Amino acid sequence: MPLPCRHLLLPALALTLSIAPAFAQQCGGDFRQFLAGVKKEAVAKGLSAKAADATLSGAQIDRKVLARDRSQGVFKMPFINFSQRVISGHRMQHGAKNMKKYSGIFARTEKEYGVPAPVISAFWALETDYGAVQGDFNTVNALATLAHDCRRPELFRPQLIAAIEMVQHGDLDPRRTTGAWAGEIGMVQMLPEDIIKFGKDGNGDGHVTLKKSAEDAILTAGAFIQNLGWRRGDPWLQEVKVPGNLDWSKTGLKTSMPVADWARLGITARSGKLRTDLPASLILPQGRKGPAFLAYPNFDIYLEWNQSFVYTTTAAYFATRLGGAPVYNKGNPDKGLNDAQMKQLQTKLRAMGYDVGKIDGILGAGTRGAVQDVQKKLGLPADAWPTPTLLNKL
């Protein structure tokens, strides 16, 4: 199942360099004039006019890209539903096979960048089903469309210029290269700037070909994840059992405590041992009656890859499964809210002065924080999981 564009939820710093103020607001208007401005900027940055013309001369607005950009509803699914949907038996089996098949490059990647095979394999599976579903959108058209659209030109205009650089280097065919609807290319879905900066030749052929070479994709992903701050040898997520009398207001990513302190509060590992020498946050994707995990510092790297809490937790959990962890105990979570109810809740919370971001029906960080605060004020278990009971009380 192809997923929505993860990069739209990434912090801009992880994706793109700042662009010159003179070009920052150039979006919208006549498309050909817009492309002429992109060419001028590319040439000013040292790229050839020939490469710019080769890249941009046939570029077109893709209305399907704009439609996909405005509908990322899969992130509204609760963690249990989403994780069960995307972590299939097929993906588990092929993950194990690929980690064995490419054990040499995985070992090299961990040695050079500290990122273990299960972490990269989980991203590889979720992004493209191990390369099987890489997207069929023309990459240049997708980037030109989103750069021209004035929602996020600061993200996509630099990527379009980076695509020109890739064309100049012979690494991108503006007519034939395809990928995700938001311009990501290859097995681990990376944008042109990231490919230029972190691309690695894993198979020794002298090229970085993320669409066809699993070795290149694996090594490049390792370099990228290390750059985000990955801590070599440390865990990222661990399922735990929690006592029923816990102070639920301590849960959530906003609170980090030494794991030794969590253990004193009655938190125990469901398998393996707790890393009591590290700090961690206790996260409850569907409240106190659902699955519970300790999120170690490396979990923050997942949030750099994608800021969707559901995607992030799923990717991190998937990696633990590929590393040998058991299936989580889904428990019996309280009933959550449907899309209309979630939007109603967000509207009420905003009216109360909380910053919940866009009224989009997605249980993001702002909404979770507001829910937890309101639950505490109302005397409800402050586990950040919104329920019809909470909505009715408001």
Side-chain angles (χ1 to χ4, degrees):
M1 179 193 75
L3 294 175
C5 172
R6 65 176 177 83
H7 289 298
L8 300 192
L9 296 162
L10 272 166
L13 184 61
L15 288 169
T16 179
L17 302 176
S18 61
I19 60 178
F23 300 107
Q25 299 304 316
Q26 291 192 11
C27 62
D30 179 82
F31 186 58
R32 290 300 146 190
Q33 290 183 3
F34 162 77
L35 293 178
V38 172
K39 175 184 175 181
K40 182 178 179 181
E41 182 180 351
V43 172
K45 291 186 173 183
L47 299 176
S48 73
K50 181 178 179 181
D53 287 336
T55 306
L56 303 175
S57 61
Q60 301 175 359
I61 293 288
D62 189 335
R63 299 294 173 187
K64 291 182 180 179
V65 167
L66 294 174
R68 291 288 291 273
D69 181 35
R70 286 151 173 76
S71 60
Q72 296 206 61
V74 69
F75 288 125
K76 298 179 182 180
M77 296 175 65
F79 167 74
I80 292 174
N81 302 68
F82 183 78
S83 60
Q84 289 182 339
R85 177 178 177 180
V86 302
I87 304 176
S88 62
H90 166 86
R91 284 178 170 167
M92 286 294 299
Q93 294 166 10
H94 280 261
K97 290 179 181 178
N98 281 325
M99 287 191 293
K100 183 177 181 180
K101 179 178 180 180
Y102 297 105
S103 59
I105 193 67
F106 274 122
R108 176 186 167 188
T109 301
E110 184 163 12
K111 180 179 179 180
E112 293 185 13
Y113 302 112
V115 184
V119 171
I120 296 172
S121 296
F123 281 130
W124 188 11
L126 294 179
E127 294 292 342
T128 65
D129 212 0
Y130 305 110
V133 186
Q134 297 188 33
D136 56 4
F137 288 85
N138 178 277
T139 297
V140 169
N141 286 347
L143 291 173
T145 297
L146 293 168
H148 177 261
D149 184 41
C150 286
R151 293 182 70 195
R152 292 175 308 281
E154 75 286 350
L155 170 60
F156 288 105
R157 188 182 180 102
Q159 301 300 338
L160 182 56
I161 292 172
I164 296 173
E165 184 174 348
M166 289 184 67
V167 170
Q168 182 168 307
H169 294 164
D171 296 328
L172 188 152
D173 184 331
R175 305 294 177 265
R176 297 181 181 179
T177 298
T178 57
W181 61 265
E184 300 134 318
I185 304 168
M187 296 187 185
V188 289
Q189 298 284 273
M190 297 184 70
L191 287 168
E193 275 198 327
D194 295 329
I195 294 173
I196 291 169
K197 187 173 182 180
F198 302 105
K200 304 296 178 184
D201 176 13
N203 60 8
D205 66 355
H207 298 279
V208 176
T209 312
L210 301 187
K211 286 181 68 69
K212 296 181 180 180
S213 170
E215 293 88 349
D216 290 4
I218 291 166
L219 198 63
T220 298
F224 179 66
I225 293 169
Q226 181 207 45
N227 181 74
L228 294 178
W230 188 266
R231 295 165 49 149
R232 180 187 296 269
D234 280 3
W236 51 95
L237 192 75
Q238 183 177 20
E239 188 184 3
V240 293
K241 294 184 286 186
V242 297
N245 61 349
L246 192 70
D247 179 358
W248 305 109
S249 67
K250 295 181 181 295
T251 64
L253 292 172
K254 71 181 188 303
T255 301
S256 178
M257 292 170 34
V259 173
D261 289 351
W262 286 118
R264 280 190 282 272
L265 292 175
I267 303 298
T268 58
R270 186 154 177 260
S271 65
K273 295 182 179 179
L274 298 177
R275 279 290 300 271
T276 54
D277 59 323
L278 295 174
S281 299
L282 179 63
I283 58 175
L284 309 171
Q286 288 187 229
R288 69 195 190 282
K289 298 180 182 179
F293 303 94
L294 281 181
Y296 292 97
N298 270 340
F299 186 80
D300 293 342
I301 308 311
Y302 283 85
L303 293 168
E304 293 288 331
W305 184 283
N306 187 314
Q307 287 189 317
S308 163
F309 180 77
V310 169
Y311 178 99
T312 294
T313 308
T314 297
Y317 162 69
F318 190 4
T320 68
R321 291 277 288 118
L322 290 171
V327 177
Y328 60 70
N329 176 16
K330 67 179 183 180
N332 187 28
D334 290 328
K335 181 181 179 182
L337 303 180
N338 61 32
D339 183 52
Q341 290 172 323
M342 187 67 74
K343 290 177 180 177
Q344 184 183 5
L345 174 65
Q346 289 176 321
T347 301
K348 290 179 178 292
L349 291 171
R350 176 182 286 180
M352 295 169 66
Y354 291 101
D355 180 9
V356 297
K358 183 180 178 182
I359 306 299
D360 55 8
I362 297 175
L363 183 56
T367 303
R368 282 184 179 273
V371 166
Q372 191 168 40
D373 190 58
V374 169
Q375 287 173 326
K376 191 172 182 179
K377 290 178 179 178
L378 294 176
L380 298 172
D383 60 1
W385 176 243
T387 63
T389 298
L390 172 65
L391 184 61
N392 291 336
K393 283 184 175 293
L394 294 179

